[in-house]
């Protein structure tokens, strides 16, 4: 029974990862086409990231709404990837502020590969709690209960981080910081 839960969980994670990595590749590829306007686009996307950070903090109520698709795929392991894809397409909080910040970074990187890689990192972070719950149902549920008890603190840390990233993007310090770090370490490349 446990291996079926793990396989189903992995299928679910693969389903939403396929959608989100596609987004990353798309936005990264679009960014590559618009590199000539990179500074302006980075600043505009910085404003978007700030607004989304404020939404993550709950200060923009319209960004807190939730929309879901009400389609139920087949039960069992084979329906899990489809359920994951539907989750990615229809669950607004998941594809809301945090993913938008990730896709903004993918866009400004100007590379479909880096956009996809950023999205993979996002999917790993999003999928790990599901996998923990699948591997250790009781312990996983305890971890989920901890996250629920600390939702506000998680939102504050995430929202403030997004706002700081947005301010760095708007001010132009994000690009300067990246260039400075490349100078500090010979041959440095942004890992994501």
């Amino acid at each position: 029974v446990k291996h079926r839960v793990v396989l189903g969980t992995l299928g679910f994670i693969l389903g939403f990862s396929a959608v989100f990595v596609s987004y990353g590749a798309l936005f990264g590829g679009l960014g590559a086409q618009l590199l000539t306007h990179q500074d302006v686009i980075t600043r505009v996307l910085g404003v978007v990231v700030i607004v989304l950070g404020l939404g993550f903090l709950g200060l923009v109520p319209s960004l807190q709404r939730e929309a879901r698709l009400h389609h139920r795929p087949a039960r069992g392991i084979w329906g899990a990837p489809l359920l994951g894809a539907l989750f990615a397409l229809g669950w607004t909080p998941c594809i809301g502020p945090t993913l938008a910040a990730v896709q903004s970074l993918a866009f400004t990187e100007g590379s479909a590969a880096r956009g996809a890689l950023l999205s993979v990192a996002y999917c790993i972070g999003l999928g790990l709690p599901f996998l923990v719950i699948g591997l250790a149902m009781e312990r996983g549920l305890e971890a989920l209960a901890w996250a629920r008890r600390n939702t506000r603190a998680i939102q504050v840390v995430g929202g403030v981080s997004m706002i700081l990233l947005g301010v760095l993007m708007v001010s132009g310090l994000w690009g300067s910081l990246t260039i400075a770090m490349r100078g500090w370490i010979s041959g440095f490349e942004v890992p994501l």
Side-chain angles (χ1 to χ4, degrees), residues 12-27 81-90 95 99 103 119 122-123:
F12 177 76
I13 293 169
L14 287 173
F16 70 68
S17 294
V19 173
F20 293 150
V21 171
S22 298
Y23 289 166
L26 172 69
F27 283 103
L82 179 58
L83 182 62
L86 289 173
F87 168 81
L89 294 171
I95 60 173
L99 184 61
Q103 299 311 338
S119 296
Y122 172 80
C123 291

Coordinates of all heavy atoms in Angstrom, one line a residue, residues 12-27 81-90 95 99 103 119 122-123:
F12 N 1.6 12.5 -9.3 CA 1.0 13.8 -9.0 C 2.0 15.0 -9.2 O 1.8 15.9 -9.9 CB 0.3 13.9 -7.6 CG -0.3 15.2 -7.3 CD1 -1.5 15.5 -7.8 CD2 0.3 16.0 -6.4 CE1 -2.1 16.7 -7.4 CE2 -0.2 17.2 -6.0 CZ -1.5 17.6 -6.5
I13 N 3.2 14.8 -8.6 CA 4.2 15.8 -8.7 C 4.7 15.9 -10.1 O 4.9 17.1 -10.6 CB 5.4 15.4 -7.7 CG1 4.9 15.5 -6.3 CG2 6.6 16.3 -8.0 CD1 5.9 14.9 -5.3
L14 N 4.9 14.8 -10.8 CA 5.3 14.9 -12.2 C 4.2 15.6 -13.1 O 4.6 16.3 -14.0 CB 5.5 13.5 -12.8 CG 6.8 12.8 -12.3 CD1 6.9 11.4 -12.8 CD2 8.0 13.6 -12.7
G15 N 3.0 15.4 -12.8 CA 1.9 16.1 -13.5 C 2.0 17.6 -13.4 O 2.0 18.3 -14.4
F16 N 2.1 18.1 -12.1 CA 2.1 19.6 -12.0 C 3.5 20.1 -12.5 O 3.6 21.2 -13.0 CB 1.7 20.1 -10.6 CG 2.6 19.8 -9.5 CD1 3.8 20.5 -9.3 CD2 2.2 19.0 -8.4 CE1 4.6 20.2 -8.2 CE2 2.9 18.8 -7.3 CZ 4.2 19.4 -7.2
S17 N 4.6 19.3 -12.3 CA 5.9 19.7 -12.8 C 5.9 19.9 -14.3 O 6.5 20.9 -14.8 CB 6.9 18.7 -12.3 OG 7.1 18.7 -10.9
A18 N 5.2 19.0 -15.0 CA 5.2 19.1 -16.5 C 4.6 20.5 -16.9 O 5.1 21.2 -17.8 CB 4.4 18.0 -17.1
V19 N 3.6 20.9 -16.2 CA 2.9 22.2 -16.5 C 3.8 23.3 -16.2 O 4.1 24.2 -17.0 CB 1.5 22.3 -15.8 CG1 0.9 23.7 -16.0 CG2 0.6 21.2 -16.4
F20 N 4.3 23.3 -14.9 CA 5.1 24.5 -14.5 C 6.5 24.6 -15.2 O 6.9 25.7 -15.5 CB 5.4 24.4 -13.0 CG 4.1 24.5 -12.1 CD1 4.0 23.9 -10.9 CD2 3.1 25.3 -12.6 CE1 2.9 24.1 -10.2 CE2 1.9 25.5 -11.8 CZ 1.8 24.8 -10.6
V21 N 7.1 23.5 -15.5 CA 8.4 23.5 -16.3 C 8.1 24.1 -17.7 O 8.9 24.8 -18.3 CB 9.1 22.2 -16.3 CG1 10.3 22.1 -17.2 CG2 9.5 21.8 -14.9
S22 N 7.0 23.7 -18.3 CA 6.6 24.2 -19.6 C 6.4 25.8 -19.5 O 6.9 26.5 -20.4 CB 5.3 23.6 -20.1 OG 5.4 22.3 -20.2
Y23 N 5.8 26.2 -18.4 CA 5.7 27.7 -18.2 C 7.1 28.3 -18.2 O 7.3 29.4 -18.8 CB 5.0 28.0 -16.9 CG 3.5 27.8 -16.8 CD1 2.9 27.8 -15.5 CD2 2.7 27.5 -17.9 CE1 1.6 27.6 -15.4 CE2 1.4 27.3 -17.7 CZ 0.8 27.3 -16.5 OH -0.5 27.1 -16.3
G24 N 8.0 27.7 -17.4 CA 9.3 28.2 -17.2 C 10.1 28.3 -18.6 O 10.7 29.3 -18.9
A25 N 10.0 27.3 -19.4 CA 10.7 27.2 -20.7 C 10.0 28.3 -21.6 O 10.8 29.0 -22.3 CB 10.6 25.9 -21.3
L26 N 8.7 28.4 -21.5 CA 8.0 29.4 -22.4 C 8.5 30.8 -22.0 O 8.9 31.6 -22.8 CB 6.5 29.3 -22.2 CG 5.7 30.4 -22.9 CD1 5.8 30.3 -24.4 CD2 4.3 30.3 -22.5
F27 N 8.4 31.2 -20.7 CA 8.8 32.5 -20.3 C 10.3 32.8 -20.5 O 10.6 33.9 -20.8 CB 8.4 32.8 -18.8 CG 6.9 33.0 -18.6 CD1 6.1 32.0 -18.2 CD2 6.4 34.2 -19.0 CE1 4.7 32.3 -18.0 CE2 5.0 34.5 -18.9 CZ 4.2 33.5 -18.4
P81 N -0.9 11.6 -12.4 CA -0.3 12.7 -13.2 C -1.3 13.7 -13.8 O -1.1 14.9 -13.8 CB 0.4 12.0 -14.4 CG 0.7 10.6 -13.8 CD -0.5 10.3 -12.9
L82 N -2.5 13.2 -14.2 CA -3.5 14.1 -14.7 C -4.0 14.9 -13.6 O -4.3 16.1 -13.8 CB -4.7 13.2 -15.3 CG -5.8 14.0 -15.9 CD1 -5.4 15.0 -16.9 CD2 -6.9 13.1 -16.4
L83 N -4.2 14.4 -12.4 CA -4.6 15.2 -11.3 C -3.6 16.3 -11.0 O -4.0 17.4 -10.7 CB -4.9 14.3 -10.0 CG -5.4 15.0 -8.8 CD1 -6.7 15.6 -9.0 CD2 -5.4 14.0 -7.6
G84 N -2.3 15.9 -11.1 CA -1.3 16.9 -10.8 C -1.3 18.0 -11.9 O -1.2 19.2 -11.5
A85 N -1.6 17.7 -13.1 CA -1.7 18.7 -14.2 C -2.9 19.6 -14.0 O -2.8 20.8 -14.1 CB -1.7 18.0 -15.6
L86 N -4.0 19.0 -13.6 CA -5.2 19.8 -13.3 C -5.0 20.7 -12.1 O -5.4 21.8 -12.0 CB -6.4 18.9 -13.0 CG -6.9 18.2 -14.3 CD1 -8.0 17.1 -13.9 CD2 -7.5 19.2 -15.3
F87 N -4.3 20.2 -11.1 CA -3.9 21.0 -9.9 C -3.1 22.2 -10.4 O -3.4 23.3 -9.9 CB -3.1 20.1 -9.0 CG -2.4 20.8 -7.9 CD1 -3.0 21.1 -6.7 CD2 -1.0 21.1 -8.0 CE1 -2.4 21.8 -5.7 CE2 -0.3 21.7 -6.9 CZ -1.0 22.0 -5.8
A88 N -2.1 22.0 -11.3 CA -1.3 23.1 -11.7 C -2.1 24.1 -12.5 O -1.9 25.3 -12.4 CB -0.2 22.6 -12.6
L89 N -3.1 23.6 -13.3 CA -3.9 24.5 -14.2 C -5.0 25.2 -13.4 O -5.3 26.3 -13.7 CB -4.5 23.8 -15.3 CG -3.5 23.2 -16.3 CD1 -4.2 22.3 -17.3 CD2 -2.8 24.4 -17.1
G90 N -5.5 24.6 -12.3 CA -6.7 25.1 -11.7 C -6.6 25.6 -10.3 O -7.5 26.2 -9.8
I95 N -0.5 28.7 -8.5 CA 0.1 29.4 -9.7 C 0.0 30.9 -9.6 O 0.2 31.6 -10.5 CB -0.6 28.9 -11.0 CG1 -2.1 29.2 -11.0 CG2 -0.4 27.4 -11.2 CD1 -2.8 28.9 -12.3
L99 N 4.8 31.5 -8.0 CA 5.1 31.0 -9.3 C 5.3 32.2 -10.3 O 6.2 32.2 -11.1 CB 4.1 30.0 -9.9 CG 4.4 29.4 -11.2 CD1 5.7 28.6 -11.2 CD2 3.2 28.6 -11.7
Q103 N 8.5 32.8 -12.5 CA 8.4 33.0 -14.0 C 9.0 34.4 -14.4 O 9.5 34.5 -15.5 CB 7.0 32.8 -14.5 CG 6.4 31.4 -14.2 CD 7.3 30.3 -14.7 OE1 8.2 30.4 -15.5 NE2 7.1 29.1 -14.1
S119 N 11.9 26.6 -12.8 CA 10.6 25.9 -12.5 C 10.8 24.5 -11.9 O 10.0 24.1 -11.1 CB 9.8 25.8 -13.8 OG 9.5 27.1 -14.3
Y122 N 11.3 25.2 -8.3 CA 10.0 25.5 -7.7 C 9.2 24.2 -7.5 O 8.6 24.0 -6.4 CB 9.3 26.5 -8.6 CG 7.8 26.7 -8.2 CD1 7.6 27.6 -7.2 CD2 6.8 26.1 -8.8 CE1 6.3 27.9 -6.8 CE2 5.5 26.3 -8.5 CZ 5.2 27.2 -7.4 OH 3.9 27.5 -7.0
C123 N 9.2 23.3 -8.5 CA 8.4 22.1 -8.3 C 8.9 21.2 -7.3 O 8.2 20.5 -6.6 CB 8.3 21.4 -9.7 SG 7.3 22.3 -10.9

